[in-house]
């Protein structure tokens, strides 16, 4: 944990520098004379859902659509609810809320609802099915989570930036946690709002075009995504084999492997998400992340992968593997003094191994 604090501190220092002196290589938004240009191809805003609260999903989409209408650029966007819901009551309520949203906002033919017949490959399968059926109609896809909210001006700016930078395949925005009342999550919201922007700026400062994908609140250029981001099915059985849980890291790595740029847009606001309410809910989510990160061992050595892409995967794996390694270190250092015949003032070999070992291990 201490090494994570050190890494975050270094990113924060770089972020403070970057916010005062933005790096020259950061992809700029479209020039002012091009910002009013009306794009001929519309952008798809997709929200995959699976047994979520229908009222929360509907409220979030309504907020996004109204914000888009306020920009006067809503004609360039279509919204999709990509449902994998299997609970019958929830499914019916989703369709009812979608119809009411279309009726009240005049969004028929602009906001769409689809429930998949076969729920295969989880979220990445849901997105893949959308790309196969409707991807040819759109140049860009903005991916949301069921608890995501983004402002209309940010959506427009994301498209403008992609139009101005044809070499960029993905732009990730840093979402800010909102809309919770429990003390546990309020503390996380406060810390994120306090230094999250500076940390994101520092992260972008050193990773540059070798950025990462966090799975939501991001815009993707559909053509390279469809061509290069078909996920393999890992050999063996779960938890280490089968379908990849943490697909976002792998998709960003595959885009970089194909020569496309991936950026973190630390300066784009109006990007929000909600966090798990309790510590137990956090632990459940972390268990899924643990399995997904450990599965990255199956793609870590894929030929042509960029060094930073491998580093991200290795760091994700070590964030979970370092815990048992640390427990072993404590056991060894506890047993070792009892096996020495005389007191010794030299540094334990185990201590030297931990302090001087490979840096990905020490980043935990």
């Amino acid at each position: 944990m201490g090494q994570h604090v050190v890494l975050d501190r270094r990113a924060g220092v770089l972020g403070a520098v970057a916010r005062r002196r933005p790096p020259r290589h950061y992809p700029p938004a479209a020039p002012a004379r091009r910002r009013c240009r009306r794009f001929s191809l519309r952008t798809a805003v997709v929200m995959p859902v699976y047994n979520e609260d229908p009222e929360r999903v509907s409220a979030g989409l309504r907020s996004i659509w109204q914000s888009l209408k306020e920009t006067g650029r809503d004609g360039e966007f279509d919204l999709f609810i990509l449902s994998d819901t299997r609970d019958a009551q929830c499914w019916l309520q989703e369709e009812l809320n979608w119809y009411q949203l279309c009726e009240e906002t005049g969004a028929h033919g602009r906001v769409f609802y689809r429930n998949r017949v076969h729920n295969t490959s989880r979220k990445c399968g849901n997105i893949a099915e959308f790309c196969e059926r409707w991807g040819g109609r759109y140049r860009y896809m903005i991916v949301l989570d069921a608890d995501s909210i983004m402002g209309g001006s940010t959506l427009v700016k994301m498209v403008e930036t992609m139009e101005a930078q044809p070499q960029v395949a993905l732009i990730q925005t840093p979402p800010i946690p909102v809309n919770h009342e429990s003390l546990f999550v309020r503390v996380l919201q406060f810390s994120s709002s306090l230094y999250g922007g500076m940390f994101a700026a520092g992260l972008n400062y050193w990773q540059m075009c070798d950025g990462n994908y966090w799975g939501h609140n991001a815009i993707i250029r559909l053509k390279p995504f469809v061509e290069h981001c078909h996920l393999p099915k890992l050999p063996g059985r779960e938890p280490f084999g089968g379908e990849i849980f943490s697909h976002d890291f792998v998709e960003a790595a595959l885009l970089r492997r194909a020569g496309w740029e991936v950026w973190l847009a630390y300066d784009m606001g109006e990007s929000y998400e909600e966090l798990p309410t309790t510590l137990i809910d956090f632990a459940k989510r972390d268990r899924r992340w643990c399995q997904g990160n450990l599965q990255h061992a199956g793609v870590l050595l894929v030929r042509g992968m960029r060094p930073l892409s491998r580093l991200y995967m290795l760091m994700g794996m070590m964030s979970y593997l370092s815990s048992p390694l640390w427990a072993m270190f404590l056991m060894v250092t506890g047993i070792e003094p009892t096996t020495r015949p005389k007191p010794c003032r030299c540094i334990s070999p185990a201590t030297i191994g931990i302090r001087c070992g490979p840096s990905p291990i020490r980043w935990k």
Side-chain angles (χ1 to χ4, degrees), residues 64-99:
I64 294 170
W65 186 249
Q66 289 176 346
S67 182
L68 268 174
K69 290 179 73 67
E70 291 173 2
T71 67
R73 306 282 291 274
D74 55 293
E76 301 165 18
F77 295 86
D78 289 339
L79 270 61
F80 286 83
I81 306 169
L82 307 180
S83 176
D84 270 346
T85 296
R86 287 297 170 264
D87 180 86
Q89 190 63 36
C90 185
W91 181 352
L92 290 173
Q93 190 62 47
E94 285 176 356
E95 290 200 31
L96 177 61
N97 290 353
W98 159 74
Y99 186 79

Side-chain angles (χ1 to χ4, degrees), residues 277-296:
T277 306
T278 66
L279 186 60
I280 298 299
D281 293 331
F282 254 83
K284 291 178 180 178
R285 185 181 72 171
D286 213 49
R287 182 177 60 184
R288 297 194 303 271
W289 286 3
C290 176
Q291 179 176 348
N293 278 274
L294 294 181
Q295 285 180 318
H296 290 165

Side-chain angles (χ1 to χ4, degrees), residues 231-250:
L231 297 181
K233 190 170 183 179
L234 301 178
R237 300 170 59 184
E238 293 185 358
F240 300 107
E243 298 167 350
I244 299 176
F245 270 48
S246 295
H247 56 92
D248 39 14
F249 278 36
V250 181

